[in-house]
Amino acid sequence: MKQKIIIGNWKNYLSHKESISLANSLLGLDTSDKTRVMVSPNHLYLNEVNQILSTTDIEVISQNLTSAESKSDTGGITAVNLKNISINRSLVAHSETRIREKTPQSILLEIIPMGFPFVLCFEEIDQIPFDILNDNLEIILAYEPVWAIGTGETASIDHINEIHSGVKSKLSKLGLNIPVLYGGSVNPSNCKEILDSDNVDGVLVGGASTKYDQFQEIVNSI
Ligand code: PGA
């Protein structure tokens, strides 16, 4: 089985104390070659969590960015500043940021040329700007149907397979080898069926990733 990617998106669920405590618990996470684990804390705690996890295989990534280079962008997050604190990947266009920020196309056109890797979230296949994706950047795609996010309602495996195979067939026609994750109410009870699918290269987990035991079960379900 190919290595699966597991991303924990902590959103803004956790306080400073809780984020640090979860990061310290993750020091004990038993990972194997079968998984590649990433977590995405609130921006305010990104640096501290990254430092705590620096001795592990867990990658700490940003939940969003608003610009590539330094510029007048009050309240924004730039790729350059993320790199300054050794954060080398960001979620882009999560549905919760899509409603208030730049189009995915415009931010991707800025960060792809600078070589900043990202996890691009989409709900409809036509939201994926296939023409500007490439294989040089370790891009990750994540199918996240909005109705499944934070609702406890997971997409059925048939639905996930249908969307993922559509995206994968488009990618393969373009000669691109980009992993496609699923996100939306993934939890310890449904993760195995989802991760067992050959069409699914991993999962993007929100709520359940903020509870160590649940996240551990998901990581160890493979
Ligand atoms: P959820 O969030 O697992 O809480 O549904 C998924 C996401 O928003 O990435």
Side-chain angles (χ1 to χ4, degrees), residues 29 39 43 45 47 68 70 77 80 84 158 175 182 187 194 219:
L29 188 73
V39 293
H43 286 127
Y45 317 136
N47 193 28
S70 307
I77 307 280
V80 144
N84 280 340
D158 290 346
Y182 167 76
N187 60 44
I194 297 170
V219 170

Side-chain angles (χ1 to χ4, degrees), residues 2-154:
K2 262 198 318 185
Q3 194 186 46
K4 302 275 177 165
I5 300 165
I6 316 263
I7 305 179
N9 173 12
W10 300 356
K11 308 192 181 193
N12 263 292
Y13 287 127
L14 304 178
S15 66
H16 176 252
K17 204 169 153 202
E18 290 163 340
S19 302
I20 300 311
S21 157
L22 181 54
N24 279 310
S25 299
L26 287 170
L27 289 174
L29 188 73
D30 203 9
T31 52
S32 74
D33 290 349
K34 289 190 267 178
T35 53
R36 178 167 172 199
V37 179
M38 304 180 194
V39 293
S40 190
N42 168 317
H43 286 127
L44 298 173
Y45 317 136
L46 203 48
N47 193 28
E48 213 174 333
V49 169
N50 196 29
Q51 283 176 9
I52 293 171
L53 294 175
S54 62
T55 54
T56 70
D57 291 335
I58 301 172
E59 283 168 61
V60 179
I61 71 172
S62 172
Q63 292 182 6
N64 190 28
L65 45 63
T66 55
S67 303
E69 308 287 349
S70 307
K71 66 194 277 201
S72 102
D73 181 10
T74 304
I77 307 280
T78 67
V80 144
N81 266 330
L82 289 172
K83 285 170 118 170
N84 280 340
I85 58 164
S86 305
I87 299 293
N88 295 312
R89 182 184 299 276
S90 179
L91 296 176
V92 168
H94 188 281
S95 65
E96 289 156 16
T97 59
R98 227 162 35 222
I99 49 177
R100 61 171 190 263
E101 290 177 1
K102 291 185 184 180
T103 62
Q105 182 95 9
S106 65
I107 187 68
L108 293 183
L109 283 171
E110 289 182 44
I111 61 173
I112 289 176
M114 81 181 286
F116 193 82
F118 54 89
V119 182
L120 176 66
C121 305
F122 66 94
E123 189 183 17
E124 307 286 345
I125 297 187
D126 61 12
Q127 288 166 340
I128 305 172
F130 286 99
D131 52 328
I132 59 173
L133 301 182
N134 64 53
D135 252 350
N136 315 326
L137 251 190
E138 270 213 315
I139 291 169
I140 298 172
L141 294 173
Y143 171 50
E144 295 228 311
V146 172
W147 50 266
I149 296 179
T151 58
E153 238 184 278
T154 321

Side-chain angles (χ1 to χ4, degrees), residues 132-179:
I132 59 173
L133 301 182
N134 64 53
D135 252 350
N136 315 326
L137 251 190
E138 270 213 315
I139 291 169
I140 298 172
L141 294 173
Y143 171 50
E144 295 228 311
V146 172
W147 50 266
I149 296 179
T151 58
E153 238 184 278
T154 321
S156 70
I157 192 66
D158 290 346
H159 174 79
I160 296 172
N161 277 327
E162 185 188 331
I163 301 289
H164 280 229
S165 65
V167 173
K168 280 177 168 292
S169 107
K170 251 188 137 156
L171 289 170
S172 102
K173 279 190 196 124
L174 295 166
L176 295 171
N177 185 18
I178 295 177

